Amino acid sequence: MGEWERVFRQHPPLPPHPQRGRARPSPRSAAFRCVLKYLHGAALAQGAEYQLRLSLFDATYHHFFGRTWRSSWQAARAAPPRSSRATFSETVYFHTSLNHPGIVAVVEVVVKAKKGDEGSQHLSCGFGIIPLFRGGSEATDPATEDRALKLYHGTPRALLHPHFQDPAEKNKYLMVMEKSHLQYSLKPHQPLEMVFHLLPENLLISGLQTVPGLLPACGDTSDCFQKPRLMKAVTCYLEQLSVRLYPSLEEFEEELLDFLNSDRLLQANAMPDGEEVAVRERRLHVGVHNGLRFVRVPQVAVLVPETEAVPGGCRGASGSRARDAGQALVLRSRIHLSEMVPHPAFSVCFQLEYVLCSAGRAGGKAVPGSARSEAADMRSVRWAVWSPGSGTTDTEVVLPLRGGAHRGPCQALVYRMPPSSRSSRQGKHVESGTVQFRVSTDSEEHLVTAAEILCKDRDESEQPPTPSLRVPAPRRVSGSPRGPGLSVSQLVASPRGKDQTPPQDGGITHLEADLGSLDAEPGASDQLRALPFTPLQVPMAAVGLQAGRDAQGSVEGPWPRTIFLTFQFYRFPPVTTPRLQLVITDGGSVTGLAAPAQLLVRVNEDGTLSTRPPGLQLKYMVDPAFLRPGEQRWFLRYLAEHSLQIDVWDGDSLLHVGSAAVKLEPLLRRGQAAVRTYHELEVATTEYEPEGPVLGREALRHGALRPLGVRVAVRGRLHLCLANVGHPCEEISGQLPSHSRTVPAADSTVTIPAGSWHSLNAGRGGRTVRARRLVDVDGELEAALRSRRPEGWPKQRAWDLQVIDSYRDHIKGESIYQMLSQAITATRTVHAVLGTAEFFEFALKNPYSIQHTVTIEVDHPELSVILDPREWRHFKELTKSVTPVEEEMFHLRDDLKPQVYLRPSETVHIPFKYQTFSADPAVTAAQGPSGLGTSAKTDTPSLGKSGTGRTKLIQVSFQVSGGKPIALLRVKVEPQPHVVDQTFRFYHPELTFLKKTIRLPPWHTLPGTPVGVPGGQPEMFVRCSDPDIICETKSLGPGEPQDIFLKVAGGPSPQIKKFFVAIYTDAWLAAPVQIWQFYLHSLQRLDVTCTAGQLTRLSLLLRGTAAPRRVQAFTSHPQELEVDPKGAFLLPANGVQDLYIGVRPRRAGSKFIYLNLVDVEYHQLVSSWLLCLSCRQPLISKAFEISLPAGGGRGCNKRITYTNPYPSPRLYFLCTNRPDLLQFKEDSFEVAGGEVYTIGLRFAPSQAVGEEEILIHINDHEDKNEETFCVKVLYQ
């Protein structure tokens, strides 16, 4: 047994309660140091040996977890007065992220008692409970003195009794041991955080124990956790990796799929339905394990069969593998492991995983490329462990794979081993297959590295979705002998609730392809930080759209026929794409609730479809020649942290379909020539009822609680391809400015004189200048020269000389002042971002030999002097500045200008802060359906053409008495684009105030925290970019949620107001944690009072524009709002025309319905209305209740009777609030006076178990409600 096997078997963990795994994970784990000092009490027997056992316990779910720690045996000695004491003095370390008041540590006292002549036995004689956390999520306050833990009689197994109550003090079944206690101390231990990657959670370990990867303690102490020291890591590479399965790859997969398909039919209790389980992907998880846990999240690489690999893709194969060519899974890149440690317990763990999906059959063969959005099923089939020894450099390793009912490092069920009756030709040790690779530890960096999945904060119990479209094979790079390795780079699933099924709603899926060629320069990736910023091209291609389940079965109407997209990338101009028509692919049939994927095809000006390839591609050129100084860092930060927000609009009705977001981090090339990513984005929409609250993004996730009046629906999925292609360029030096926070004195400042010369290329250091117009320099001189000159040459010459002398006298003082000002002027460049404070200090020196009081004058309100020393100290800590801070250095004059007292030749540092809350108008250009031209350009835009951001100059003057300046500071402000974290879009009646309260998610609390207990959340502050908008934050008390309140004045219809809100967690507003973007669409309001199921008729007055237009009315809820005329009609110029509408709501309550009048020829928005419905419930005359089986089927037919209460024949119409669940045999019927008519009903099957209330409205010939029946359907 190896060292890894020994450590792994000695520490089998007991996981926490499954309910804890469904809760939102804590942002970080809390580390503890518990010292158990001595046991004291009258109940201890002298001479007896005692032991302490420490365990973790979840009082909420009555569940022990982790692993019990045991102390050494200690004998009890006599201790005054009349008692005994057993001294332990042992230290226990652990860390846990389950920071909940119900998580406690339980100490058990065990005594060794004699058992006749057979030996001894261990008996439990008491236990105690140590609380770890207070009422909130904070750890227990550290105690400087020891604590006495009272003990209870019996065994801690009593805590598992159902009558046990938390807290234990209120439990009548627990009896306290009188005059007995355990002396201990419990403190947070921050140094333990540096070994979190070596020590698993909830593992109790003594300071005397050793952990693989940790150096022994040095000095007098023997506690290696008091000041832990890590062993040095080495880097190794696994190359030419291949996996072979017994007896062959084809037979193994065929047997596996047969078992899984049989299991699928057995679970569904169904007969063969023509569908089969197919292999979608084969993954290999590779990670370093120290016997206790994975040191880092395992890398995930995609394996492909040898027959599908490109030529030359599996070089160096041995002769034994050549016999069965094509029967191995190979990796076309190599694995880079930088966390290996030369310790016997450190091993490399491999886990082979199959991604499976249901597929139809074509010609008897399973086809996994179905357009259906099936959920992926991931199965672990084999695993292996390799412990490297000495001398393993550049050697070939062959490992047997393991399987079956054995505990592995990945904590997953593994496919069974082959039967013992079947033996391979190579021996029994390879019956389950082998993994073969070559190990090297050279420092040379390879160009093609294995793709890694950074599954951050992903719950192991969740199964991420897979894309419903097959990923097209990437093109091979010219000159490369083998193609790029395509691998799943990230699968992020949205959190799901307890009762939600794992399939098709999940998150964002993207696949990443490495487009780097093999003929690049060796060692290129080693120079990643030193590479010049090359010009790059960022193509974006929208491939297709797929209707979501919520959109397919919703009552809002059919899926749009055409769409267009709006978004803004970095500081490029906002983009409104041309109209794109949705075209169903060949063979894309609709099955069940799944919808086929539809391609996006451009529409010509005449309305016909374009013959160009489907999809839409846009390219962005980011050239360093057009980047401003310091902007390179901002652009890389934008790609690393920002998500591109994409709005999807209906191309015909100009109504908002939904929004999607895609992370831009995969576009970072990391030294590669090019990268390409594929994404499947959820297009979601949020609907608010009148006066309904608004939630942040985290509160709208799957499984979270939502208030009444808020509905989130996934309308569809957008398939998107992003790429980043680099272009060679010369290295640009000196691009980034100095990061110093101190502006030096202006002794050697060189500036271009302010006069008649203007720099054309100052940003690149050039000296090219051009002459300025005289009228711009001196208007009086220009007017004098244009005046009438005297006749005669002598008089003209004298007159010219007189004009020149007067001009010299006029500008002499100003010129001397400018030259003197340049000598004392210093320049500071600030790269300003919306809401972020830019801090710097100015070194001010008194040049005189006498003391002076200096007044600081700033000519711009966005630049200010920091007067509060606490704020000054806060910014210095953020910027790591080492200059001193002087208390009460400033005092204010009556005009609120700051003054500072300077001794002779004294130098002080004046702190400045520049902060702007006004957004750049060029960046904040409104997007939306105000107008859509058919000739939208998709050329390659460049940063040099964007024109956003203008340089701003601010003058700061330091004056002594008499207004004499001793120093000048010239601050050059370069606006930079800001990151938008979330976008809100509201539709509101024109010329009214929008009042909204946005609920923020809890910061550091877990579900289940008692109400009213402080949750440790920071105080929040907000600022708005529009000073006319009221924006403030409200805290409802400790432990309560926090809200942001907005009050915005709406303009006339169809105006769109755009503004930003910055959110801070520090009182000095240094940098926002999030920036939110808001759109307010002002619409004409129409209030409608109606009854559910009954038609209410209204009319709207349409006013024509200056020219006649061919228009059509569109509504967001066509099933509940009818318009007349339905199609397109002519709106005369400057004319008036009525538009008749009929409202038939399907449910009672308040609701918004949007109505757009669109020019169908130019696709422009002519008018828009907001219909505010106030719908009341009709009187229910009869109620029925039926039970139907759930889970599909053919549905059910029922009949009900209706009696005509009138003496004459009447015509009646039928409608229902749930047409998806109920259909009528006849939509209308005629019955004689006093007669009875039987209404035929057909109930559609339901897939879910539950209860539904269906209303049946019986209306007269005028569509007025006569009677309403209620049918309660129980699906069981």
Side-chain angles (χ1 to χ4, degrees), residues 990 1053 1084-1086 1098-1105 1111 1113 1124-1125 1129 1131-1132 1134-1141 1155-1157 1166-1169 1171:
E990 62 177 348
S1053 175
Q1084 302 179 54
R1085 175 168 181 160
L1086 179 63
L1098 302 164
S1099 64
L1100 296 175
L1101 191 63
L1102 305 181
R1103 299 186 182 274
T1105 59
V1111 298
D1124 185 22
F1129 59 93
L1131 181 64
N1134 300 318
V1136 177
Q1137 186 172 340
D1138 287 331
L1139 177 67
Y1140 299 96
I1141 62 174
L1155 179 64
N1156 282 356
L1157 188 67
V1166 179
S1167 299
S1168 58
W1169 286 267
L1171 276 67

Side-chain angles (χ1 to χ4, degrees), residues 96-125:
T96 180
S97 62
L98 304 177
N99 45 1
H100 188 272
I103 304 299
V104 297
V106 178
V107 182
E108 181 183 13
V109 181
V110 179
V111 62
K112 185 183 296 185
K114 293 184 178 180
K115 187 180 179 182
D117 298 334
E118 300 179 359
S120 60
Q121 62 178 351
H122 299 166
L123 301 177
S124 178
C125 57

Side-chain angles (χ1 to χ4, degrees), residues 24-59:
R24 181 166 58 90
S26 174
R28 59 180 299 174
S29 189
F32 292 95
R33 179 176 185 265
C34 181
V35 181
L36 305 177
K37 298 190 175 181
Y38 59 86
L39 190 65
H40 185 91
L44 301 182
Q46 296 186 17
E49 292 185 346
Y50 292 89
Q51 185 187 55
L52 299 180
R53 299 180 180 179
L54 189 64
S55 306
L56 295 179
F57 180 70
D58 191 339

Side-chain angles (χ1 to χ4, degrees), residues 332-354:
R332 293 179 292 188
S333 55
R334 73 171 183 171
I335 303 292
H336 175 200
L337 300 175
S338 60
E339 61 270 23
M340 280 298 297
V341 171
H343 189 279
F346 268 71
S347 298
V348 181
C349 297
F350 304 86
Q351 181 190 10
L352 181 60
E353 181 183 69
Y354 271 63

